[in-house]
Every structure is written in structure tokens, then in C-alpha cells.
Amino acid sequence: MADTVPQISVLIGTYNQAAKLNLVLDGYTKQTLSRDRFEVVVVDSSSNDNTAQICETFAHDMALRYFKVTNQGKAKARNFGAQQAQAPILFLTDADMIPAPDLLEVHVGAHRSDGQAMFEGLTFNLSREQWPLENVETVPYIVRALQ
């Protein structure tokens, strides 16, 4: 990791989601925000798949720290990740949430323009797992949940 403190810490909790996490972490390697300005903290709730190996691979491409903890639920994992974070801005997400390339740059910019802020983004459920998106039906999560 660089000697400078990152501006934003991405906190990802996971449990046996290695294949999806691979796509998610790949998305963070493609961010428009410079890699020295963010870190990724992965908190693994005792997965028994290859989550650790995937994180080890991506740690060569970006500032990524991996922690394996006892499975005590999503809230405990997120709180642990927040305690490990080095940046003043925390970005909580999940191991199946593939980021748009400008996600972190826009998020940091919004904090700069508003001081203290909290945001919630739009989530889409895909008709099938495919990335990048090409001819995939997307339905906003909140709409699908209400249907």
C-alpha cells in the first residue's frame, strides 16, 4: 500500500461468493479514481471457497487488504471492516455489486462538494450474470423487490 492515506475505503463483506467477488474486484481495478486514492477492505466471514486466493491476486493490482473473521453476520463484518479502514470516507458495498468505472471518483467528488454526506445508489438485478453489460435486462432492485 502507498505511504499516503487513501481518500476512500471500500468495505466489502463476503461469504462464499468468490466468483462474483472476482468480477467486483476487477471492477475496482478499472476505476477512474487513481488507485493511490482508495483502498479495498475485504472482510470474509469464514468462506470455504477460493475467496482468499482471489483477494491475494487482486492485492497485486490495488491497495487491497483481506481479513478472514468468524461468521457473525453482515453487520459484524461491516463494523470490523470500518475499524480497519484507513480513509475518512467509507463506501460499504457487497461482494456481488460490480462498480461502474467512475463510481469512486463521483462519490469522492460528491463528498467534497457537500462536506458531510451519505449516499445510496441505484442497484440493478441482472437477468443473467454477464459483465460487462451487453443486451442484459436490468431491473432496479427496489422495483423488483416490490413486484
Side-chain angles (χ1 to χ4, degrees), residues 117-133:
M118 181 176 190
F119 306 94
E120 182 174 336
L122 183 59
T123 304
F124 290 95
N125 284 333
L126 303 179
S127 58
R128 65 184 183 280
E129 285 186 28
Q130 176 186 335
W131 194 257
L133 294 177

Side-chain angles (χ1 to χ4, degrees), residues 11 17 23 28 32 59 61 68 80 115 127:
L11 309 180
Q17 294 177 291
L23 295 172
Y28 285 105
T32 57
D61 295 326
K68 190 167 191 172
F80 179 85
S127 58

Side-chain angles (χ1 to χ4, degrees), residues 35-112:
R35 290 188 193 176
D36 64 341
R37 294 176 58 197
F38 72 93
E39 69 168 342
V40 176
V41 177
V42 177
V43 181
D44 177 4
S45 294
S46 299
S47 295
N48 54 24
D49 59 10
N50 63 332
T51 294
Q53 291 83 3
I54 287 171
C55 290
E56 184 178 326
T57 299
F58 280 99
H60 298 289
D61 295 326
M62 64 181 142
L64 184 148
R65 292 182 297 134
Y66 169 82
F67 299 92
K68 190 167 191 172
V69 298
T70 302
N71 189 344
Q72 296 180 9
K74 186 181 277 192
K76 287 271 191 184
R78 283 184 170 170
N79 287 338
F80 179 85
Q83 291 170 348
Q84 305 308 312
Q86 297 178 345
I89 300 172
L90 303 181
F91 186 87
L92 281 68
T93 189
D94 291 317
D96 60 354
M97 305 293 282
I98 300 169
D102 64 347
L103 175 73
L104 296 180
E105 184 174 18
V106 170
H107 196 86
V108 168
H111 275 274
R112 247 189 264 126

